[in-house]
Amino acid sequence: MNAQRCLEILREIKDVAFATVDENGLPQIRIIDVMIVENEKLYFCTARGKDFHRQLTENGQVAITGMNREFQMIRLSGKAEKLEEHKYWIDRIFDENPSMNAVYLGESRYILDAFCVANANIEFFDLGKEPIVRESFAIGNNKAQKKGFEISDSCIGCGKCKRLCPQQCISEGKPFEISQNHCLHCGLCFENCPVKAITRRSE
């Protein structure tokens, strides 16, 4: 798995959830079509009269998620930028997504603006496998984020974390070790470690 393939999965799903924040700081979510994916960039469009458009132009932060029939889920968070060369991008979107012609007839298509997400963090989850598989990627100028938990040298080797782990992704050692690619990030080990040797990776 890699970042480009994650974006391609979103394109294959096509109708995915896009979340933004409104002027009152409240979350807003809707289903949007992923129109083009190429060169680790994701393209979509929306009409200038929509609240979604205003939120994108005022803030730009967007979160996108979708799951396919194989229970592979992609979660993306990043910055959406409105594209120049307005007519070029809208025409290209319509060429690659011909069903749009039935929604916006003729010249009415140009009420739409095209946006691109080129800088983002991506998480991949394969919930159809046992144990689950997860990976993190970044595109553009972003850096992959560290999430979940890790076990420090304060570990006393009691094995409680290993016994409790629902995915059995903790192995014995000095210290014990969490297999990050299979971790649910549920926090059960973190909450139950008797010596607080487990910490959040983000900290």
Side-chain angles (χ1 to χ4, degrees), residues 3-180:
Q4 176 65 22
R5 179 59 190 142
C6 288
L7 297 178
E8 289 169 358
I9 290 173
L10 288 175
R11 169 64 174 157
E12 290 162 7
I13 299 169
K14 193 172 181 180
D15 301 315
V16 300
F18 275 64
T20 53
V21 176
D22 68 16
E23 62 275 14
N24 298 312
L26 299 174
Q28 303 294 331
I29 193 164
R30 74 287 291 164
I31 299 298
I32 297 290
D33 287 352
V34 176
M35 296 297 189
I36 300 171
V37 161
E38 63 183 12
N39 301 321
E40 293 192 350
K41 296 178 181 178
L42 181 150
Y43 298 82
F44 63 98
C45 65
T46 191
R48 289 189 292 277
K50 294 183 179 290
D51 290 341
F52 182 39
H53 187 284
R54 185 173 70 254
Q55 291 154 17
L56 290 169
T57 53
E58 290 179 355
N59 183 296
Q61 295 299 322
V62 64
I64 303 168
T65 191
M67 179 183 283
N68 64 17
R69 293 179 183 273
E70 287 72 46
F71 301 103
Q72 293 176 320
M73 184 172 69
I74 309 296
R75 185 165 64 190
L76 177 152
S77 59
K79 186 76 180 276
E81 303 281 353
K82 186 160 72 77
L83 295 169
E84 304 296 334
E85 301 182 67
H86 169 243
K87 287 192 173 183
Y88 165 82
W89 283 106
I90 294 303
D91 286 345
R92 186 174 169 195
I93 283 171
F94 274 63
D95 286 344
E96 298 196 25
N97 301 271
S99 63
M100 291 291 291
N101 288 286
V103 181
Y104 290 94
L105 303 177
E107 296 285 305
S108 70
R109 69 172 63 179
Y110 300 120
I111 192 61
L112 299 166
D113 280 333
F115 290 81
C116 174
V117 179
N119 296 288
N121 290 94
I122 301 171
E123 290 184 88
F124 167 78
F125 306 85
D126 193 334
L127 304 175
K129 292 185 176 179
E130 294 183 8
I132 63 99
V133 175
R134 73 184 308 143
E135 295 182 71
S136 297
F137 307 97
I139 56 174
N141 297 325
N142 284 36
K143 293 182 180 180
Q145 297 174 334
K146 288 186 176 182
K147 294 185 177 181
F149 302 90
E150 59 189 358
I151 304 174
S152 73
D153 290 336
S154 300
C155 172
I156 59 173
C158 70
K160 188 172 185 180
C161 58
K162 185 179 186 331
R163 292 192 299 273
L164 289 173
C165 179
Q167 289 292 303
Q168 291 299 291
C169 67
I170 299 177
S171 56
E172 189 172 343
K174 296 183 179 180
F176 277 50
E177 185 176 2
I178 300 171
S179 175
Q180 299 297 333

